[in-house]
Amino acid sequence: MVSASAYVPAIVLLPFVSFIVALFGREYLPKRGAFGGIAATAGSLGLSLWVLLSVRNGAAFQETYYTWATGAGAQDWTLTFGALIDPLSALMLVIVSVVATLVHIFSLGYMNDEDERDLPRYYAGLGLFTASMLGFVIADNLLMAFMFFELVGLCSYLLIGFHFREPGPPSAAKKAFLVTRFGDYFFLVGVVAVFTTFGTAAFAGAESFPALAEAALNGEATVWTPGGLAESTWFTIVGLLVLGGVIGKSAQFPLHTWLPDAMEGPTPVSALIHAATMVAAGVYLVARMYGFYVLSPTTMAIIAFVGGFTALFAATMGVVKRELKQVLAYSTISQYGYMMLALGSGGYVAAVFHLTTHAFFKALLFLGAGSVIIAMHHNEDMWEMGGLKDKLPVTYWTFLAGSLALAGIFPFAGFWSKDEILYEALIHGLDEPLILGAYVMGLLAVPVTAFYTFRMVFLTFHGEPRSGLARDPHPVRWNVKGPLTVLGILAVVTGGINMVPVQKVLGIEGIDYLHLWLDNHWGGIEGLSSHHYADLSPYSSQYLFGGEVPTVLAGAAVSLGLAIGGLALAWALYNVADPAEHTDKLGGLKALLYNNYYQDEFQVWVADNTRAVAGSADIFDQGIIDGVVNGVSSVSLLSSERIRRIQSGVVSNYALLLTLGLTTLLVVFGLIGGWF
């Protein structure tokens, strides 16, 4: 019988082949490469579903395909390429391939029907982007993950800057590339540290670095640490180094500034970046190596606090934006903050749950925004929209479903996943002040999220048209409506995969499917399960009112109440025929929020004020370091030049020198020894 495991490499190779074909086929391709991309991603989706079913039947596996290099140092080490297929990676393969397929289909309406230039280059980049993320998902070791991580960053640079003839996209692409590279520098140092410490970067198995770290902390193994540092301290440092790359890619504070600018890229690219590829990569990496992170309470607390702060911080900026995609960009930063909050507070399943639901409703919202942009002849200003509800009914109702999910309104998908995140942060934060602070920030972000989400909905679709473009919008075709419909359904029903509150309150077993899935209930790889991570967790669970069920109900009620409050405020202010810009009443605060707390200006100031330091370092490098090296080189060259002159090749000269040398030595020894 043919095993799905044999076809795992094809999941990555199919989009890569579409990249090659689009790159070199160009003018000869139907729809300029769109059909090839759709076929490739659909093929990857089919194989991913097959792999998912195989894992459901207990066929998880880890396999090495190629040994790159071996060596020895403080630890023996081996560099390999392989695949790790377990419940987490199988689920992520389906998420990425579903979104990628729908984005390719949507591109037919957004890119092809709008007569965009250089379409083969676009579809080539989209194929490579998809292949890179799929390769990252199946990676069985940290070095392989890093390589695909970097390739994802390269693809984002190429696609964000797709419209390179315009002034904005190239600048945004460079900003995304440089900011994420800053984080990736720490990631690379972390990879080297992992290899140096453990001699391996494997994610799974008895000889994986999470397993060795656990054994070292239990006194069952010995690993190298620099300067005699305690293992726990060194593991915290290593975890924070890798976290640098995560913060960059997943756009967490303070390395989030690239993501809003990335909206300069085509809208389908934005959907892919935000929902299933680049921004999702960081969170997935923390989940992938969660067995290592959970060993360090300090790192976990930092992850939770950064996540909670980012969730609130980014949400506040979304309330004043005028551009449709800008609002969605800040919502993405905020929602990934929730995922980091979950991971840091011990909510591994909650984080993966929100990663799943968010992938679908955020892809839906970006593609819905793309539909609106098509209708508005590529005008993104919400204040020039209005009244599109009846003119774009499919777009409106699907966009509304995504908005209700984003705001966390019952019973849409986002309600279930966000509620579980806040619940995990609450019960683990009652004994941990830093986690509790992160929970409070995540809770405060709930009404802000609902407010900016429905401000966006009402300004775009409700009221009266506020421009000629809104009164006579461009129609959209099936290749736009089809992906929106699929994602709209997913935004409604995906929450059903993990009905934890219902299970806890009503006692109904078996409806927490995702918990069972990630707990290797149907099979998996030893050491990579939510149960194992819970056993290692540094947190204990505490409940309000003396019990679990009251805590579940109280947490859900508060979260839902705050979300409805934010929605109601947006309704009162913006669901009117002729809305006013109420944010003007914020005065200087609006300017602060609209300019993103002047973070870009601050970064420029830091860069400008470090030029003197950089100049001094350059002088020291060239004058001292290079001077010493060049001086030693000059002395060596001069000496060799002088010595070379006596190398005449005449034997009699060599005999004379030998005799003179021997005579000199005898005279010196005679004088020292008193022979004379």
Side-chain angles (χ1 to χ4, degrees), residues 184-441:
D184 291 348
Y185 170 78
F186 294 98
F187 186 3
L188 178 59
V189 176
V191 173
V192 174
V194 167
F195 267 107
T196 305
T197 303
F198 303 104
T200 179
F203 290 131
E207 297 301 317
S208 65
F209 72 91
L212 292 174
E214 182 182 347
L217 292 177
N218 292 332
E220 300 169 356
T222 302
V223 297
W224 176 88
T225 62
L229 278 177
E231 284 93 346
S232 58
T233 303
W234 178 235
F235 295 166
T236 297
I237 295 171
V238 173
L240 291 175
L241 286 170
V242 176
L243 187 64
V246 171
I247 289 175
K249 281 291 194 296
S250 289
Q252 298 296 285
F253 180 87
L255 301 182
H256 64 282
T257 55
W258 67 270
L259 191 58
D261 290 31
M263 298 304 98
E264 294 284 353
T267 300
V269 172
S270 300
L272 197 56
I273 288 176
H274 288 245
T277 52
M278 186 167 172
V279 191
V283 170
Y284 176 79
L285 179 63
V286 176
R288 180 75 286 169
M289 51 184 293
Y290 200 66
F292 181 78
Y293 275 115
V294 79
L295 299 173
S296 173
T298 301
T299 308
M300 292 280 284
I302 291 172
I303 292 172
F305 193 83
V306 169
F309 178 79
T310 303
L312 178 59
F313 183 70
T316 60
M317 290 179 278
V319 302
V320 299
K321 298 300 180 182
R322 299 178 61 94
E323 299 82 6
L324 190 57
K325 287 170 63 178
Q326 284 286 309
V327 177
L328 294 176
Y330 282 100
S331 85
T332 296
I333 299 171
S334 180
Q335 295 305 303
Y336 278 97
Y338 275 112
M339 297 174 209
M340 295 293 283
L341 168 61
L343 290 167
S345 58
Y348 168 75
V349 178
V352 176
F353 189 20
H354 201 56
L355 181 63
T356 304
T357 61
H358 178 266
F360 297 134
F361 69 69
K362 185 52 58 70
L364 167 62
L365 289 171
F366 266 106
L367 296 187
S371 176
V372 171
I373 291 168
I374 292 172
M376 292 291 296
H377 300 274
H378 293 267
N379 186 344
E380 299 184 27
D381 191 343
M382 295 185 295
W383 287 98
E384 296 187 17
M385 299 178 187
L388 296 177
K389 174 183 176 182
D390 297 327
K391 298 179 174 92
L392 301 172
V394 174
T395 301
Y396 170 71
W397 289 108
T398 54
F399 196 93
L400 180 62
S403 298
L404 289 165
L406 172 60
I409 303 298
F410 178 88
F412 293 83
F415 164 79
W416 302 101
S417 55
K418 189 181 293 185
D419 179 70
E420 186 168 351
I421 289 172
L422 293 172
Y423 172 77
E424 293 286 346
L426 174 62
I427 64 172
H428 295 146
L430 291 174
D431 265 352
E432 300 286 339
L434 203 60
I435 304 298
L436 186 61
Y439 163 76
V440 171
M441 289 187 288

Side-chain angles (χ1 to χ4, degrees), residues 7-351:
Y7 292 90
V8 167
I11 296 175
V12 180
L13 290 175
L14 282 172
F16 184 77
V17 170
S18 76
F19 155 70
I20 297 295
V21 172
L23 191 64
F24 295 102
R26 302 193 64 82
E27 304 297 332
Y28 306 101
L29 299 173
K31 290 293 182 180
R32 311 293 298 279
F35 287 161
I38 293 171
T41 51
S44 293
L45 173 58
L47 292 173
S48 297
L49 290 171
W50 188 15
V51 168
L52 187 79
L53 292 174
S54 297
V55 173
R56 171 66 172 79
N57 294 325
F61 73 96
Q62 182 181 14
E63 184 174 348
T64 299
Y65 297 129
Y66 176 70
T67 298
W68 182 13
T70 59
Q75 300 272 359
D76 293 336
W77 51 266
T78 303
L79 307 180
T80 63
F81 288 90
L84 172 60
I85 301 298
D86 70 333
L88 175 62
S89 58
L91 175 64
M92 195 65 186
L93 284 175
V94 173
I95 293 171
V96 175
S97 53
V98 165
V99 174
T101 302
L102 294 174
V103 165
H104 274 81
I105 296 172
F106 185 90
S107 295
L108 277 174
Y110 192 90
M111 302 295 288
N112 293 68
D113 293 352
E114 296 296 297
D115 296 323
E116 289 279 359
R117 303 172 61 180
D118 298 327
L119 285 176
R121 177 166 60 86
Y122 169 79
Y123 286 109
L126 217 57
L128 185 60
F129 204 8
T130 304
S132 302
M133 187 63 192
L134 291 170
F136 174 76
V137 169
I138 70 169
D140 74 332
N141 64 82
L142 194 60
L143 178 63
M144 183 179 171
F146 174 78
M147 296 171 70
F148 280 107
F149 201 73
E150 292 301 285
L151 195 55
V152 167
L154 171 63
C155 294
S156 71
Y157 167 77
L158 297 173
L159 288 168
I160 293 169
F162 176 75
H163 296 117
F164 63 88
R165 297 175 181 87
E166 302 172 9
S171 176
K174 287 185 287 186
K175 183 178 181 179
F177 190 80
L178 292 173
V179 172
T180 56
R181 288 298 72 69
F182 181 79
D184 291 348
Y185 170 78
F186 294 98
F187 186 3
L188 178 59
V189 176
V191 173
V192 174
V194 167
F195 267 107
T196 305
T197 303
F198 303 104
T200 179
F203 290 131
E207 297 301 317
S208 65
F209 72 91
L212 292 174
E214 182 182 347
L217 292 177
N218 292 332
E220 300 169 356
T222 302
V223 297
W224 176 88
T225 62
L229 278 177
E231 284 93 346
S232 58
T233 303
W234 178 235
F235 295 166
T236 297
I237 295 171
V238 173
L240 291 175
L241 286 170
V242 176
L243 187 64
V246 171
I247 289 175
K249 281 291 194 296
S250 289
Q252 298 296 285
F253 180 87
L255 301 182
H256 64 282
T257 55
W258 67 270
L259 191 58
D261 290 31
M263 298 304 98
E264 294 284 353
T267 300
V269 172
S270 300
L272 197 56
I273 288 176
H274 288 245
T277 52
M278 186 167 172
V279 191
V283 170
Y284 176 79
L285 179 63
V286 176
R288 180 75 286 169
M289 51 184 293
Y290 200 66
F292 181 78
Y293 275 115
V294 79
L295 299 173
S296 173
T298 301
T299 308
M300 292 280 284
I302 291 172
I303 292 172
F305 193 83
V306 169
F309 178 79
T310 303
L312 178 59
F313 183 70
T316 60
M317 290 179 278
V319 302
V320 299
K321 298 300 180 182
R322 299 178 61 94
E323 299 82 6
L324 190 57
K325 287 170 63 178
Q326 284 286 309
V327 177
L328 294 176
Y330 282 100
S331 85
T332 296
I333 299 171
S334 180
Q335 295 305 303
Y336 278 97
Y338 275 112
M339 297 174 209
M340 295 293 283
L341 168 61
L343 290 167
S345 58
Y348 168 75
V349 178

